Amino acid sequence: MKHFAPRVMAIAIASALAFNAAHAAPAPARAENAYLSQADAMARSARVSNVDYVLDFTLTGKENFAGTTTVTFDLKDTDSALTIDLDKATVKSVTVNGKQVTPAYNNWFITLAPQDLAKGRNTVTISYERAHSTNGEGLHRMVDPVDGRVYTYSHFEPAAAHQMFAVFDQPDLKATYTVTVNAPADWHVVTTTRESNIADASGGKRWTFPKTKKLSPYNFSLHAGPYRVWEDNSGKYPMRLFARQSVAAQVTPADWFRYTKGGITFFENYFGIPYQFEKYDQLLVPDFLYGAMENAAAITFAEGGFLYKAEMTAAQKARLAEVILHEMAHQWFGDLVTMKWWNGLWLNESFASFMATLATAESTEFKDAWQAFYQEDKQGAYNMDQKVSTHPIEVPVPSSANAFDNIDAITYSKGASTLKQLRHMLGEEVFRKGVHNYLVKYSWQNAKLEDFIGSLGEAAGRDLSKWTQDWLYQAGVNTITASYSCSNGKIKDFSLAQTAPSKALPTLREQRVQVGAFKLENGKLVLAKNVPVTYSGAKTAVPGMVGAACPDLVYPNYQDWGFVKVNLDKRSFDTARTTLGGVDDPLLRAMLWQALWDGVRDAKLPLNEFIQVALANAPQEKDYTLLGDVLGKVTFSKYYLDAMGLNNAYSRQTTKALEDMTWQGVVAYKGNDNFQRRWFGAYMSVASSPEALARLAGMLEGKGAEGLNISQDQRWAIINRLNRFNYQGAAALVEAEQARDKSDTGQGAAIAATVVRPDPKVKGEWLATVEDLKTKLPFSRVRTAMGAMYPVEQHKLAEQTANDRLAKLPAIDKVAGPVFMRSYANTMIPASCTPQSVQRLQRAADSMKELSAGTRRSLLDTLQEDQRCVAIKKALTAPKS
């Protein structure tokens, strides 16, 4: 029940505010800081309604832009001041209901005095200038180093619209937006609606856009620049794709339009509601903080995730399809119906993740999307849910500063997994009907979790309150184990045992799974019995298994219906280790690989024994999707070996064996681009011996490429690897490659290849840049440097600054914002897989209690992972020194 306490408090606050408003009592003054608290947001939306914005922007391509916001709204009372958000602007004038007033502005919001406001309809006009953002929020500006062209785009989630215009920047004050923009003559301007007029104007063109439908501020957007445009009008809605001129050759519009058109058809059919916007624009933008963003009808995508200087692999296309469909699902679930406050953000993301996987499996060529979801998304959720910093899916969010504190694999993938589980429990059609009813009932409104669950429960005719409490308000992943005995070759008794992760997380949940029992026949695992069962509590009998042939392997979450960690019984675990190659079903094979890897991470299966299994079985893997997962585990095995600091005959022999295996995969798949590139990526991740580095260096000169097309991206990856291990002449390669690749990605790759070098002087210079919060270097470059600073094997270099970095953490956290700290805390907190490192992190965790929530969480996670690494090292049965 402890998770309900903040919700009860929030309800109490809301009731008090409503009472006060009704009795003409003034609302409390808003806190003077950069963020909006939930209490202040609720107080404001209790008074303000029917909001309309008229926005006028003047964009020149220079570092500053000008804007005028005219906001019209209904006000319930004039008993107290009202604030409107505007970040770090130079305010030129403020007019309230036709009267010019002196701005009361603190760099975060403008305060409108009660005497200037009217009960009923009000109009406020604010003119201002502001610098463009360079950190990926607000109205971001980027100068393309290739041709000097300037590009801008907006990003407002969670609460950064006020970095571009004056606004009530909270999701439950939906509004319409009518936009005009003055921009240079060669620019395109893109927003939620399609332009109604483009006219000549002083200094360029004036773009006029019709009024939008009602949107939360974070769903509105505006993007402008000399973008290259592709159009496709073959579908129900006109589609456009935008990208910078200098990267246009890397764009494959046919793929984008194919997945987009198929997705719209799928979602319109599934939801039973037409797409609500008149056009579908998608923009590839530089320096983006995240993967993509669901701005209504003008979706943005990070260039780095979707632009390649070689033909896309099947895996890259699958990723493109899934992200396109994720953002598309948000056009209904998020844009049409929006959460009331940021504690509901998980539902947006979970639902979009679930629907994107479903749509990918059913509307694209990637029919194994659920297998990919299990291997990638779901494993991330399992890992996150086993961390000390795990949290419920639904958590209180006291302020906009905390909106992204818990945006992680639990928010996206555990939430999506619980929805998948709920769909199995309720039935596919009942679930779809509940979603349809929810979207119809709350269209163009804000809704809460109970509204969504209520729609599903009503469709199913059942009370989902306990399910909601157990799954959404309690943290942690449960473990199930099959317990059975056999007599005369038959199962005598069979039950499922469910355990909770700890006394602190005691919840045992109800869910529906399939129990699969397998027999070994001629070296193959054959399904002998499959029983669906709804289990709950500590022990659930499975009578349907009694009398079946005594199995060689039992998997109690067959076909991945449930969100649960599987602990294989001893007989099954031994079978899994020895018969991976005898499993025909790739999803079951993936699950057995994962069971072994869980054994490594739980320090129950020695890492060296897992590596032996991988060396024997990975080369036999013919499923492309699963091969990516297996090779990822091979790469992580090498990471752990390097993290442990082993420098002995065993580590050298194992490195050589992993290099040989992955290179043999490269050679074996010559002519099969998808598989060969997958094997080459693994080879790049394990290559560290002098021989392997020499081979990579030769490939830069066209030697021994085995048919691989060494693209510009791969050239930089090779150069990075050579610099990371201080290969002779590697530093000069960076400078030479920069001369031939002057692109934005080339500049970033050059920084990474420089910073990654094991050179104390270089490290010191770049560390000073990272810690200089006033640096003029774009934040995207600072993030790149952070990520390259201390690779796992550079123990001694990392230790030179480790104590100092940890000591500085509170001071940096205090002055840097959450955007900076999300990157800094995840890359710069030192850990070296030693008992001493664990003790150092423990002392920091014990003393640094005042860190921001996100930074403290990163510190605790780093400590736990360091403890895990030490335990994995201790469990080794190979030589440790």
Side-chain angles (χ1 to χ4, degrees), residues 481-496 515 517 539-551 554 569:
T481 307
S483 178
Y484 58 95
S485 63
C486 297
S487 178
N488 299 320
K490 302 288 185 181
I491 295 176
K492 185 171 69 173
D493 55 75
F494 196 108
S495 62
L496 290 179
V515 179
K539 183 177 180 179
T540 301
V542 187
M545 294 297 291
V546 175
C550 191
V554 173
D569 63 274

PDB file of all heavy atoms in Angstrom, residues 481-496 515 517 539-551 554 569:
ATOM      1  N   THR A 481       9.611 -22.120 -10.891  1.00  0.00           N
ATOM      2  CA  THR A 481      10.374 -23.352 -11.074  1.00  0.00           C
ATOM      3  C   THR A 481       9.394 -24.507 -11.174  1.00  0.00           C
ATOM      4  O   THR A 481       8.447 -24.589 -10.377  1.00  0.00           O
ATOM      5  CB  THR A 481      11.315 -23.599  -9.877  1.00  0.00           C
ATOM      6  OG1 THR A 481      12.117 -22.438  -9.668  1.00  0.00           O
ATOM      7  CG2 THR A 481      12.216 -24.799 -10.121  1.00  0.00           C
ATOM      8  N   ALA A 482       9.618 -25.380 -12.146  1.00  0.00           N
ATOM      9  CA  ALA A 482       8.804 -26.585 -12.246  1.00  0.00           C
ATOM     10  C   ALA A 482       9.305 -27.598 -11.223  1.00  0.00           C
ATOM     11  O   ALA A 482      10.503 -27.870 -11.137  1.00  0.00           O
ATOM     12  CB  ALA A 482       8.883 -27.161 -13.646  1.00  0.00           C
ATOM     13  N   SER A 483       8.381 -28.140 -10.444  1.00  0.00           N
ATOM     14  CA  SER A 483       8.717 -29.158  -9.439  1.00  0.00           C
ATOM     15  C   SER A 483       7.915 -30.411  -9.759  1.00  0.00           C
ATOM     16  O   SER A 483       6.681 -30.356  -9.816  1.00  0.00           O
ATOM     17  CB  SER A 483       8.384 -28.624  -8.042  1.00  0.00           C
ATOM     18  OG  SER A 483       8.654 -29.607  -7.075  1.00  0.00           O
ATOM     19  N   TYR A 484       8.600 -31.518  -9.999  1.00  0.00           N
ATOM     20  CA  TYR A 484       7.884 -32.727 -10.401  1.00  0.00           C
ATOM     21  C   TYR A 484       8.696 -33.963 -10.029  1.00  0.00           C
ATOM     22  O   TYR A 484       9.900 -33.893  -9.759  1.00  0.00           O
ATOM     23  CB  TYR A 484       7.614 -32.727 -11.911  1.00  0.00           C
ATOM     24  CG  TYR A 484       8.859 -32.626 -12.767  1.00  0.00           C
ATOM     25  CD1 TYR A 484       9.482 -33.770 -13.283  1.00  0.00           C
ATOM     26  CD2 TYR A 484       9.421 -31.385 -13.068  1.00  0.00           C
ATOM     27  CE1 TYR A 484      10.626 -33.677 -14.063  1.00  0.00           C
ATOM     28  CE2 TYR A 484      10.556 -31.284 -13.844  1.00  0.00           C
ATOM     29  CZ  TYR A 484      11.159 -32.429 -14.340  1.00  0.00           C
ATOM     30  OH  TYR A 484      12.294 -32.335 -15.102  1.00  0.00           O
ATOM     31  N   SER A 485       8.018 -35.088  -9.998  1.00  0.00           N
ATOM     32  CA  SER A 485       8.693 -36.371  -9.794  1.00  0.00           C
ATOM     33  C   SER A 485       8.104 -37.381 -10.759  1.00  0.00           C
ATOM     34  O   SER A 485       6.962 -37.222 -11.234  1.00  0.00           O
ATOM     35  CB  SER A 485       8.535 -36.843  -8.346  1.00  0.00           C
ATOM     36  OG  SER A 485       7.168 -37.075  -8.057  1.00  0.00           O
ATOM     37  N   CYS A 486       8.880 -38.395 -11.058  1.00  0.00           N
ATOM     38  CA  CYS A 486       8.461 -39.396 -12.036  1.00  0.00           C
ATOM     39  C   CYS A 486       8.488 -40.788 -11.413  1.00  0.00           C
ATOM     40  O   CYS A 486       9.264 -41.054 -10.480  1.00  0.00           O
ATOM     41  CB  CYS A 486       9.371 -39.371 -13.259  1.00  0.00           C
ATOM     42  SG  CYS A 486       9.321 -37.811 -14.174  1.00  0.00           S
ATOM     43  N   SER A 487       7.656 -41.630 -11.942  1.00  0.00           N
ATOM     44  CA  SER A 487       7.633 -43.031 -11.520  1.00  0.00           C
ATOM     45  C   SER A 487       7.276 -43.882 -12.729  1.00  0.00           C
ATOM     46  O   SER A 487       6.308 -43.569 -13.453  1.00  0.00           O
ATOM     47  CB  SER A 487       6.596 -43.240 -10.404  1.00  0.00           C
ATOM     48  OG  SER A 487       6.539 -44.606 -10.033  1.00  0.00           O
ATOM     49  N   ASN A 488       8.095 -44.918 -12.979  1.00  0.00           N
ATOM     50  CA  ASN A 488       7.873 -45.805 -14.129  1.00  0.00           C
ATOM     51  C   ASN A 488       7.784 -45.036 -15.445  1.00  0.00           C
ATOM     52  O   ASN A 488       6.957 -45.332 -16.311  1.00  0.00           O
ATOM     53  CB  ASN A 488       6.604 -46.639 -13.917  1.00  0.00           C
ATOM     54  CG  ASN A 488       6.698 -47.524 -12.699  1.00  0.00           C
ATOM     55  OD1 ASN A 488       7.760 -48.112 -12.426  1.00  0.00           O
ATOM     56  ND2 ASN A 488       5.604 -47.623 -11.943  1.00  0.00           N
ATOM     57  N   GLY A 489       8.661 -44.009 -15.548  1.00  0.00           N
ATOM     58  CA  GLY A 489       8.734 -43.260 -16.804  1.00  0.00           C
ATOM     59  C   GLY A 489       7.623 -42.261 -17.019  1.00  0.00           C
ATOM     60  O   GLY A 489       7.533 -41.659 -18.093  1.00  0.00           O
ATOM     61  N   LYS A 490       6.750 -42.073 -16.002  1.00  0.00           N
ATOM     62  CA  LYS A 490       5.642 -41.125 -16.126  1.00  0.00           C
ATOM     63  C   LYS A 490       5.716 -40.086 -15.005  1.00  0.00           C
ATOM     64  O   LYS A 490       6.242 -40.360 -13.927  1.00  0.00           O
ATOM     65  CB  LYS A 490       4.295 -41.851 -16.018  1.00  0.00           C
ATOM     66  CG  LYS A 490       4.089 -42.951 -17.045  1.00  0.00           C
ATOM     67  CD  LYS A 490       3.865 -42.389 -18.437  1.00  0.00           C
ATOM     68  CE  LYS A 490       3.529 -43.508 -19.423  1.00  0.00           C
ATOM     69  NZ  LYS A 490       3.321 -42.971 -20.794  1.00  0.00           N
ATOM     70  N   ILE A 491       5.169 -38.893 -15.292  1.00  0.00           N
ATOM     71  CA  ILE A 491       5.111 -37.852 -14.265  1.00  0.00           C
ATOM     72  C   ILE A 491       4.093 -38.266 -13.203  1.00  0.00           C
ATOM     73  O   ILE A 491       2.933 -38.550 -13.505  1.00  0.00           O
ATOM     74  CB  ILE A 491       4.733 -36.486 -14.873  1.00  0.00           C
ATOM     75  CG1 ILE A 491       5.829 -36.004 -15.830  1.00  0.00           C
ATOM     76  CG2 ILE A 491       4.510 -35.452 -13.771  1.00  0.00           C
ATOM     77  CD1 ILE A 491       5.498 -34.707 -16.549  1.00  0.00           C
ATOM     78  N   LYS A 492       4.524 -38.299 -11.940  1.00  0.00           N
ATOM     79  CA  LYS A 492       3.663 -38.697 -10.828  1.00  0.00           C
ATOM     80  C   LYS A 492       2.961 -37.485 -10.214  1.00  0.00           C
ATOM     81  O   LYS A 492       1.782 -37.531  -9.859  1.00  0.00           O
ATOM     82  CB  LYS A 492       4.487 -39.434  -9.771  1.00  0.00           C
ATOM     83  CG  LYS A 492       3.664 -39.988  -8.616  1.00  0.00           C
ATOM     84  CD  LYS A 492       4.494 -40.897  -7.718  1.00  0.00           C
ATOM     85  CE  LYS A 492       5.536 -40.091  -6.961  1.00  0.00           C
ATOM     86  NZ  LYS A 492       6.249 -40.924  -5.942  1.00  0.00           N
ATOM     87  N   ASP A 493       3.718 -36.392 -10.056  1.00  0.00           N
ATOM     88  CA  ASP A 493       3.125 -35.147  -9.549  1.00  0.00           C
ATOM     89  C   ASP A 493       3.868 -33.970 -10.171  1.00  0.00           C
ATOM     90  O   ASP A 493       5.028 -34.091 -10.543  1.00  0.00           O
ATOM     91  CB  ASP A 493       3.200 -35.079  -8.024  1.00  0.00           C
ATOM     92  CG  ASP A 493       4.607 -35.257  -7.518  1.00  0.00           C
ATOM     93  OD1 ASP A 493       5.411 -34.299  -7.639  1.00  0.00           O
ATOM     94  OD2 ASP A 493       4.935 -36.354  -7.014  1.00  0.00           O
ATOM     95  N   PHE A 494       3.149 -32.859 -10.289  1.00  0.00           N
ATOM     96  CA  PHE A 494       3.735 -31.701 -10.984  1.00  0.00           C
ATOM     97  C   PHE A 494       3.114 -30.423 -10.419  1.00  0.00           C
ATOM     98  O   PHE A 494       1.893 -30.325 -10.273  1.00  0.00           O
ATOM     99  CB  PHE A 494       3.460 -31.775 -12.483  1.00  0.00           C
ATOM    100  CG  PHE A 494       4.324 -30.849 -13.310  1.00  0.00           C
ATOM    101  CD1 PHE A 494       5.343 -31.353 -14.103  1.00  0.00           C
ATOM    102  CD2 PHE A 494       4.122 -29.476 -13.301  1.00  0.00           C
ATOM    103  CE1 PHE A 494       6.134 -30.516 -14.873  1.00  0.00           C
ATOM    104  CE2 PHE A 494       4.916 -28.620 -14.058  1.00  0.00           C
ATOM    105  CZ  PHE A 494       5.935 -29.148 -14.847  1.00  0.00           C
ATOM    106  N   SER A 495       3.974 -29.472 -10.076  1.00  0.00           N
ATOM    107  CA  SER A 495       3.486 -28.168  -9.608  1.00  0.00           C
ATOM    108  C   SER A 495       4.462 -27.082 -10.050  1.00  0.00           C
ATOM    109  O   SER A 495       5.607 -27.345 -10.431  1.00  0.00           O
ATOM    110  CB  SER A 495       3.334 -28.155  -8.086  1.00  0.00           C
ATOM    111  OG  SER A 495       4.595 -28.374  -7.471  1.00  0.00           O
ATOM    112  N   LEU A 496       3.974 -25.867  -9.996  1.00  0.00           N
ATOM    113  CA  LEU A 496       4.807 -24.686 -10.241  1.00  0.00           C
ATOM    114  C   LEU A 496       5.028 -23.981  -8.917  1.00  0.00           C
ATOM    115  O   LEU A 496       4.067 -23.678  -8.203  1.00  0.00           O
ATOM    116  CB  LEU A 496       4.140 -23.730 -11.225  1.00  0.00           C
ATOM    117  CG  LEU A 496       4.040 -24.180 -12.680  1.00  0.00           C
ATOM    118  CD1 LEU A 496       3.316 -23.120 -13.515  1.00  0.00           C
ATOM    119  CD2 LEU A 496       5.409 -24.465 -13.270  1.00  0.00           C
ATOM    120  N   VAL A 515       3.100 -24.527 -19.814  1.00  0.00           N
ATOM    121  CA  VAL A 515       4.165 -25.404 -19.337  1.00  0.00           C
ATOM    122  C   VAL A 515       4.462 -26.407 -20.445  1.00  0.00           C
ATOM    123  O   VAL A 515       3.580 -27.205 -20.827  1.00  0.00           O
ATOM    124  CB  VAL A 515       3.748 -26.135 -18.048  1.00  0.00           C
ATOM    125  CG1 VAL A 515       4.864 -27.064 -17.578  1.00  0.00           C
ATOM    126  CG2 VAL A 515       3.398 -25.125 -16.958  1.00  0.00           C
ATOM    127  N   ALA A 517       6.739 -29.592 -21.809  1.00  0.00           N
ATOM    128  CA  ALA A 517       7.602 -30.710 -21.418  1.00  0.00           C
ATOM    129  C   ALA A 517       8.170 -31.342 -22.678  1.00  0.00           C
ATOM    130  O   ALA A 517       7.435 -31.587 -23.652  1.00  0.00           O
ATOM    131  CB  ALA A 517       6.812 -31.743 -20.612  1.00  0.00           C
ATOM    132  N   LYS A 539       2.514 -21.942  -4.668  1.00  0.00           N
ATOM    133  CA  LYS A 539       2.527 -23.255  -5.306  1.00  0.00           C
ATOM    134  C   LYS A 539       1.216 -23.475  -6.032  1.00  0.00           C
ATOM    135  O   LYS A 539       0.144 -23.220  -5.484  1.00  0.00           O
ATOM    136  CB  LYS A 539       2.745 -24.352  -4.265  1.00  0.00           C
ATOM    137  CG  LYS A 539       2.857 -25.758  -4.850  1.00  0.00           C
ATOM    138  CD  LYS A 539       3.142 -26.783  -3.750  1.00  0.00           C
ATOM    139  CE  LYS A 539       3.258 -28.193  -4.332  1.00  0.00           C
ATOM    140  NZ  LYS A 539       3.550 -29.195  -3.280  1.00  0.00           N
ATOM    141  N   THR A 540       1.307 -23.938  -7.277  1.00  0.00           N
ATOM    142  CA  THR A 540       0.118 -24.231  -8.071  1.00  0.00           C
ATOM    143  C   THR A 540       0.281 -25.617  -8.678  1.00  0.00           C
ATOM    144  O   THR A 540       1.244 -25.870  -9.421  1.00  0.00           O
ATOM    145  CB  THR A 540      -0.076 -23.190  -9.198  1.00  0.00           C
ATOM    146  OG1 THR A 540      -0.194 -21.892  -8.620  1.00  0.00           O
ATOM    147  CG2 THR A 540      -1.313 -23.502 -10.019  1.00  0.00           C
ATOM    148  N   ALA A 541      -0.644 -26.516  -8.362  1.00  0.00           N
ATOM    149  CA  ALA A 541      -0.608 -27.853  -8.957  1.00  0.00           C
ATOM    150  C   ALA A 541      -0.983 -27.772 -10.430  1.00  0.00           C
ATOM    151  O   ALA A 541      -1.813 -26.947 -10.831  1.00  0.00           O
ATOM    152  CB  ALA A 541      -1.569 -28.776  -8.216  1.00  0.00           C
ATOM    153  N   VAL A 542      -0.350 -28.624 -11.238  1.00  0.00           N
ATOM    154  CA  VAL A 542      -0.639 -28.686 -12.673  1.00  0.00           C
ATOM    155  C   VAL A 542      -1.062 -30.122 -12.982  1.00  0.00           C
ATOM    156  O   VAL A 542      -0.263 -30.942 -13.473  1.00  0.00           O
ATOM    157  CB  VAL A 542       0.580 -28.267 -13.516  1.00  0.00           C
ATOM    158  CG1 VAL A 542       0.189 -28.166 -14.993  1.00  0.00           C
ATOM    159  CG2 VAL A 542       1.145 -26.934 -13.032  1.00  0.00           C
ATOM    160  N   PRO A 543      -2.305 -30.467 -12.686  1.00  0.00           N
ATOM    161  CA  PRO A 543      -2.737 -31.856 -12.873  1.00  0.00           C
ATOM    162  C   PRO A 543      -2.666 -32.318 -14.319  1.00  0.00           C
ATOM    163  O   PRO A 543      -2.536 -33.525 -14.581  1.00  0.00           O
ATOM    164  CB  PRO A 543      -4.181 -31.858 -12.342  1.00  0.00           C
ATOM    165  CG  PRO A 543      -4.609 -30.425 -12.336  1.00  0.00           C
ATOM    166  CD  PRO A 543      -3.373 -29.625 -12.114  1.00  0.00           C
ATOM    167  N   GLY A 544      -2.749 -31.381 -15.243  1.00  0.00           N
ATOM    168  CA  GLY A 544      -2.692 -31.749 -16.651  1.00  0.00           C
ATOM    169  C   GLY A 544      -1.383 -32.376 -17.080  1.00  0.00           C
ATOM    170  O   GLY A 544      -1.312 -32.999 -18.149  1.00  0.00           O
ATOM    171  N   MET A 545      -0.334 -32.213 -16.273  1.00  0.00           N
ATOM    172  CA  MET A 545       0.963 -32.804 -16.612  1.00  0.00           C
ATOM    173  C   MET A 545       1.113 -34.219 -16.064  1.00  0.00           C
ATOM    174  O   MET A 545       1.987 -34.974 -16.506  1.00  0.00           O
ATOM    175  CB  MET A 545       2.097 -31.935 -16.052  1.00  0.00           C
ATOM    176  CG  MET A 545       2.219 -30.563 -16.682  1.00  0.00           C
ATOM    177  SD  MET A 545       2.617 -30.625 -18.451  1.00  0.00           S
ATOM    178  CE  MET A 545       4.299 -31.244 -18.405  1.00  0.00           C
ATOM    179  N   VAL A 546       0.292 -34.593 -15.096  1.00  0.00           N
ATOM    180  CA  VAL A 546       0.417 -35.916 -14.466  1.00  0.00           C
ATOM    181  C   VAL A 546       0.081 -37.001 -15.486  1.00  0.00           C
ATOM    182  O   VAL A 546      -0.918 -36.922 -16.214  1.00  0.00           O
ATOM    183  CB  VAL A 546      -0.499 -36.020 -13.231  1.00  0.00           C
ATOM    184  CG1 VAL A 546      -0.470 -37.435 -12.653  1.00  0.00           C
ATOM    185  CG2 VAL A 546      -0.075 -35.005 -12.175  1.00  0.00           C
ATOM    186  N   GLY A 547       0.935 -38.010 -15.541  1.00  0.00           N
ATOM    187  CA  GLY A 547       0.735 -39.127 -16.468  1.00  0.00           C
ATOM    188  C   GLY A 547       1.481 -38.987 -17.770  1.00  0.00           C
ATOM    189  O   GLY A 547       1.581 -39.958 -18.536  1.00  0.00           O
ATOM    190  N   ALA A 548       1.997 -37.783 -18.048  1.00  0.00           N
ATOM    191  CA  ALA A 548       2.794 -37.606 -19.267  1.00  0.00           C
ATOM    192  C   ALA A 548       4.155 -38.269 -19.097  1.00  0.00           C
ATOM    193  O   ALA A 548       4.593 -38.569 -17.981  1.00  0.00           O
ATOM    194  CB  ALA A 548       2.960 -36.115 -19.554  1.00  0.00           C
ATOM    195  N   ALA A 549       4.831 -38.501 -20.211  1.00  0.00           N
ATOM    196  CA  ALA A 549       6.161 -39.109 -20.162  1.00  0.00           C
ATOM    197  C   ALA A 549       7.112 -38.243 -19.356  1.00  0.00           C
ATOM    198  O   ALA A 549       7.071 -37.000 -19.449  1.00  0.00           O
ATOM    199  CB  ALA A 549       6.696 -39.294 -21.574  1.00  0.00           C
ATOM    200  N   CYS A 550       7.944 -38.893 -18.552  1.00  0.00           N
ATOM    201  CA  CYS A 550       8.908 -38.137 -17.746  1.00  0.00           C
ATOM    202  C   CYS A 550       9.815 -37.330 -18.670  1.00  0.00           C
ATOM    203  O   CYS A 550      10.473 -37.899 -19.556  1.00  0.00           O
ATOM    204  CB  CYS A 550       9.728 -39.105 -16.892  1.00  0.00           C
ATOM    205  SG  CYS A 550      10.709 -38.250 -15.632  1.00  0.00           S
ATOM    206  N   PRO A 551       9.862 -36.023 -18.517  1.00  0.00           N
ATOM    207  CA  PRO A 551      10.552 -35.180 -19.508  1.00  0.00           C
ATOM    208  C   PRO A 551      12.057 -35.085 -19.271  1.00  0.00           C
ATOM    209  O   PRO A 551      12.543 -35.266 -18.152  1.00  0.00           O
ATOM    210  CB  PRO A 551       9.897 -33.812 -19.304  1.00  0.00           C
ATOM    211  CG  PRO A 551       9.521 -33.799 -17.856  1.00  0.00           C
ATOM    212  CD  PRO A 551       9.177 -35.214 -17.497  1.00  0.00           C
ATOM    213  N   VAL A 554      11.824 -29.327 -18.919  1.00  0.00           N
ATOM    214  CA  VAL A 554      10.559 -28.610 -18.728  1.00  0.00           C
ATOM    215  C   VAL A 554      10.843 -27.113 -18.808  1.00  0.00           C
ATOM    216  O   VAL A 554      11.764 -26.610 -18.151  1.00  0.00           O
ATOM    217  CB  VAL A 554       9.922 -28.948 -17.358  1.00  0.00           C
ATOM    218  CG1 VAL A 554       8.699 -28.066 -17.112  1.00  0.00           C
ATOM    219  CG2 VAL A 554       9.546 -30.417 -17.296  1.00  0.00           C
ATOM    220  N   ASP A 569      14.809 -26.485 -13.498  1.00  0.00           N
ATOM    221  CA  ASP A 569      15.208 -27.532 -12.564  1.00  0.00           C
ATOM    222  C   ASP A 569      16.522 -28.147 -13.048  1.00  0.00           C
ATOM    223  O   ASP A 569      16.911 -27.986 -14.214  1.00  0.00           O
ATOM    224  CB  ASP A 569      14.114 -28.587 -12.453  1.00  0.00           C
ATOM    225  CG  ASP A 569      13.864 -29.307 -13.767  1.00  0.00           C
ATOM    226  OD1 ASP A 569      13.066 -28.796 -14.586  1.00  0.00           O
ATOM    227  OD2 ASP A 569      14.489 -30.362 -13.986  1.00  0.00           O
TER     228      ASP A 569
END
